[in-house]
Amino acid sequence: MDDNGHGTHVAGIVAMENNAVGGVGVAYNSKVMVLKAGNSSGYFNNSDIAEAIQYAYMNGASVINMSFGGSMISMAVEEALQMAYNSCVLVAAAGNAGLCNQPGCPFHFTCVSYPAALPYVIGVMSCDALGLKVSSFSNYDHYPYNSVEYETFACGEMVFSTWPNGKYALLSGTSMATPTVAGIAAVLRAAYPDRNTYSTKYLQSQIVNTGSLHPYNSILKACDNSHSVANVYEAMTKLPTPDVNLYDYRIDDSTDISSKNNGNGVMDAGETVRLYVSLQNRGGVASNVQVTLDTLRMGGMSDPYFNLLKDRVALSDIGTYSVREAEDEQYFEIEIHADCPNDYLTDFNVRFTYSNGMEATDETVYSGDGVAQFSVNRGFY
């Protein structure tokens, strides 16, 4: 049924038999559910992608490998992926344009590849066989821990695998790196079959939080060194500690907070607003999460145009590979002075501490921080 060759090559990387013929797959005893969503030229229709994903999770797939991508994603595909995420580890290729994934990056040309950039999909970048250099063709992650993210590396250069009609081929691309990670996910699911104890999130965390950190020694490439090269042995043997980072934030300037508010979703001079933050945990369970807010600048001075009426909140435990959104009373409250200049750009420092919720003997107090940035409109004041 493969009239292109790409699918056969990808499947072999996962599941070539360990029989002393040709190569051997990462998860050579795994079962492959063959679903064809692309045409002979390698192009995909969103309706076909959504239908294939739906078929996969409804018929017992544990891992969905997506060695394809594009600059946009349809609502149908995203809904199908969200449903599949409950039972399947989702793995996708970061793409082969050699571009940064951060929209508006001032240092690089950019391109965001979906579904790899979705927060619940493991986005796979390509490195060389030694795990020492980002592949020249690979898209790459700029800033870690945000809502547009690729998570890990695997070798995607000159990968040997099966080809139609009993042949073998060497191909390069993030399409070849992705099934290595999908194969690791299959090995993990075989080792930890109890889905109630070892959820999809647990398996994803094991993959992205283990392995050796990539040195990013290609100067023209990415700007952070927080991502690792996926390693099946370490994914099987290491238990990650919690790893919490600022994920997103929003303000509420509704009129029921203050009569001076206008409810336009923008910080205006004279308003009293509430700031809600979301934290993402890519490691083990984080407990006792305490979050504080300040406007401290160099020299220890606070920003004079803001008065923090509420600068501390406690969040519920954050599970493995999960996002915790602040809600109800879990907000910071900020009074903006009426004489704040127009288009005044300010940074609010979000700092947090947390404990290891999976290991009672770990008494470490973990910490992290991030920045919530806003521009204040003077409005009518």
Side-chain angles (χ1 to χ4, degrees):
M1 65 185 294
D2 186 358
D3 51 12
N4 177 276
H6 183 274
T8 299
H9 197 271
V10 167
I13 296 169
V14 176
M16 282 186 288
E17 289 188 40
N18 186 13
N19 58 3
V21 177
V24 59
V26 176
Y28 55 81
N29 278 332
S30 58
K31 295 180 180 179
V32 177
M33 182 188 293
V34 181
L35 300 174
K36 183 172 171 53
N39 64 24
S40 60
S41 299
Y43 292 97
F44 292 72
N45 291 323
N46 283 314
S47 58
D48 294 330
I49 295 172
E51 187 176 354
I53 292 167
Q54 185 180 41
Y55 183 94
Y57 77 77
M58 291 184 67
N59 286 275
S62 297
V63 183
I64 298 179
N65 182 89
M66 295 171 284
S67 287
F68 58 81
S71 59
M72 294 182 291
I73 188 168
S74 74
M75 185 177 296
V77 172
E78 194 161 7
E79 288 179 352
L81 288 170
Q82 288 170 350
M83 292 296 294
Y85 179 56
N86 293 319
S87 57
C88 303
V89 178
L90 306 175
V91 190
N96 303 320
L99 299 177
C100 166
N101 72 336
Q102 184 65 32
C105 174
F107 307 107
H108 307 106
F109 294 108
T110 62
C111 175
V112 181
S113 181
Y114 293 99
L118 293 171
Y120 46 86
V121 175
I122 300 178
V124 185
M125 300 168 281
S126 175
C127 62
D128 64 8
L130 298 176
L132 297 176
K133 188 175 182 179
V134 185
S135 300
S136 60
F137 54 79
S138 180
N139 290 343
Y140 53 91
D141 204 46
H142 188 136
Y143 298 115
Y145 313 120
N146 60 18
S147 57
V148 182
E149 181 82 347
Y150 312 135
E151 283 80 7
T152 193
F153 283 97
C155 177
E157 297 186 11
M158 299 299 289
V159 180
F160 180 85
S161 186
T162 45
W163 195 252
N165 301 316
K167 298 179 181 179
Y168 295 91
L170 290 167
L171 295 183
S172 297
T174 56
S175 284
M176 285 64 251
T178 302
T180 295
V181 176
I184 293 173
V187 172
L188 286 173
R189 176 50 75 203
Y192 306 115
D194 185 345
R195 299 189 184 214
N196 292 323
T197 303
Y198 302 103
S199 65
T200 294
K201 293 180 179 181
Y202 176 88
L203 301 190
Q204 289 182 289
S205 177
Q206 289 297 120
I207 293 169
V208 304
N209 287 295
T210 57
S212 57
L213 284 178
H214 194 284
Y216 280 115
N217 67 354
S218 177
I219 297 173
L220 298 179
K221 283 294 184 181
C223 299
D224 76 89
N225 63 347
S226 60
H227 299 303
S228 61
V229 179
N231 183 298
V232 64
Y233 176 77
E234 293 196 6
M236 292 279 289
T237 57
K238 284 188 176 181
L239 186 64
T241 57
D243 180 19
V244 177
N245 296 272
L246 180 64
Y247 179 75
D248 202 1
Y249 51 87
R250 63 180 176 86
I251 65 161
D252 178 8
D253 68 333
S254 56
T255 55
D256 58 348
I257 298 173
S258 168
S259 60
K260 296 182 179 180
N261 292 359
N262 58 19
N264 66 350
V266 176
M267 282 192 174
D268 294 297
E271 288 189 328
T272 298
V273 303
R274 292 173 180 173
L275 171 64
Y276 293 84
V277 300
S278 300
L279 301 181
Q280 182 186 46
N281 176 27
R282 295 201 340 189
V285 176
S287 61
N288 191 30
V289 183
Q290 305 292 321
V291 193
T292 61
L293 189 74
D294 66 67
T295 59
L296 293 176
R297 305 292 180 251
M298 292 184 64
M301 300 293 291
S302 295
D303 194 308
Y305 293 111
F306 302 93
N307 181 27
L308 301 183
L309 304 178
K310 184 180 178 184
D311 62 359
R312 183 180 299 271
V313 298
L315 297 184
S316 305
D317 291 359
I318 310 177
T320 299
Y321 216 84
S322 298
V323 173
R324 175 67 64 194
E325 298 179 357
E327 54 189 18
D328 300 331
E329 300 301 310
Q330 297 170 330
Y331 59 80
F332 300 105
E333 194 158 78
I334 305 164
E335 181 182 55
I336 307 166
H337 291 193
D339 60 351
C340 182
N342 190 42
D343 292 331
Y344 183 75
L345 190 65
T346 189
D347 291 339
F348 292 94
N349 303 313
V350 182
R351 311 181 197 274
F352 36 90
T353 61
Y354 51 97
S355 304
N356 189 340
M358 295 184 68
E359 182 56 68
T361 60
D362 184 357
E363 298 181 356
T364 305
V365 177
Y366 297 88
S367 63
D369 59 76
V371 173
Q373 188 175 80
F374 293 95
S375 178
V376 178
N377 178 23
R378 186 165 175 79
F380 297 104
Y381 294 96

Coordinates of all heavy atoms in Angstrom, one line a residue, residues 23 31 39 53 101-102 105-106 133 156 175 190 306 321 332 370:
G23 N 18.6 -4.1 9.2 CA 18.8 -3.4 10.4 C 17.9 -3.9 11.5 O 17.3 -5.0 11.4
K31 N 4.0 -4.0 17.5 CA 3.0 -4.1 16.5 C 2.8 -2.8 15.8 O 2.6 -1.8 16.5 CB 1.7 -4.7 17.0 CG 1.8 -6.1 17.6 CD 0.4 -6.5 18.0 CE 0.5 -7.9 18.6 NZ -0.8 -8.4 19.1
N39 N -0.8 11.1 0.2 CA -0.8 10.6 -1.2 C 0.6 10.2 -1.7 O 1.6 10.3 -0.9 CB -1.5 11.5 -2.1 CG -0.7 12.8 -2.3 OD1 0.5 12.9 -2.1 ND2 -1.5 13.9 -2.7
I53 N -5.9 9.5 12.8 CA -5.7 9.7 14.3 C -6.8 9.1 15.1 O -6.6 8.3 16.0 CB -5.4 11.1 14.6 CG1 -4.1 11.7 14.0 CG2 -5.4 11.3 16.2 CD1 -4.0 13.2 14.1
N101 N 11.5 28.1 15.8 CA 10.1 28.0 15.9 C 9.5 29.2 16.7 O 8.3 29.1 17.0 CB 9.8 26.7 16.7 CG 10.2 26.7 18.1 OD1 11.1 27.5 18.5 ND2 9.6 25.9 18.9
Q102 N 10.2 30.2 17.1 CA 9.7 31.3 17.9 C 9.2 32.4 17.0 O 10.0 33.1 16.3 CB 10.8 31.9 18.8 CG 10.3 32.9 19.7 CD 9.3 32.4 20.7 OE1 9.4 31.2 21.1 NE2 8.3 33.2 21.1
C105 N 11.0 35.9 16.1 CA 12.4 35.9 16.6 C 13.2 36.9 15.9 O 13.3 36.9 14.7 CB 13.0 34.5 16.4 SG 14.7 34.4 16.9
P106 N 13.9 37.8 16.7 CA 14.8 38.8 16.0 C 16.1 38.3 15.5 O 16.8 39.0 14.8 CB 15.0 39.8 17.2 CG 14.9 39.0 18.4 CD 13.9 37.9 18.1
K133 N 25.5 17.6 17.3 CA 25.3 18.7 16.4 C 23.9 18.7 15.9 O 23.4 17.7 15.4 CB 26.3 18.7 15.3 CG 26.3 19.9 14.4 CD 27.4 19.9 13.4 CE 27.4 21.2 12.5 NZ 28.5 21.1 11.5
G156 N 18.6 11.9 12.9 CA 17.8 11.9 11.7 C 18.7 12.0 10.5 O 18.2 12.3 9.4
S175 N 11.7 13.4 10.0 CA 10.8 12.2 9.8 C 11.5 10.9 10.3 O 10.9 10.0 10.7 CB 10.4 12.0 8.3 OG 9.4 13.0 8.0
A190 N 5.4 -1.0 26.8 CA 5.5 -2.4 27.0 C 6.1 -2.7 28.4 O 5.6 -3.7 29.1 CB 6.5 -3.1 26.0
F306 N 3.5 50.6 39.8 CA 2.6 49.5 40.1 C 2.6 49.3 41.6 O 3.7 49.3 42.3 CB 3.1 48.3 39.4 CG 3.1 48.4 37.9 CD1 4.3 48.8 37.3 CD2 2.0 48.2 37.2 CE1 4.3 49.0 35.9 CE2 2.0 48.4 35.8 CZ 3.2 48.8 35.1
Y321 N 4.0 16.1 33.4 CA 3.8 16.6 32.0 C 2.4 17.3 31.9 O 1.6 17.0 31.0 CB 3.9 15.5 31.0 CG 4.5 15.9 29.7 CD1 5.9 15.9 29.5 CD2 3.7 16.3 28.6 CE1 6.4 16.3 28.3 CE2 4.3 16.7 27.4 CZ 5.6 16.7 27.3 OH 6.2 17.1 26.1
F332 N -3.0 37.3 41.2 CA -2.2 38.4 41.7 C -3.1 39.7 41.4 O -3.7 39.7 40.3 CB -0.9 38.6 41.1 CG 0.0 37.4 41.3 CD1 0.3 36.5 40.3 CD2 0.6 37.1 42.5 CE1 1.1 35.4 40.4 CE2 1.4 36.0 42.7 CZ 1.7 35.1 41.7
G370 N 10.1 33.2 35.9 CA 9.7 33.6 34.5 C 9.3 35.1 34.5 O 9.2 35.7 35.6

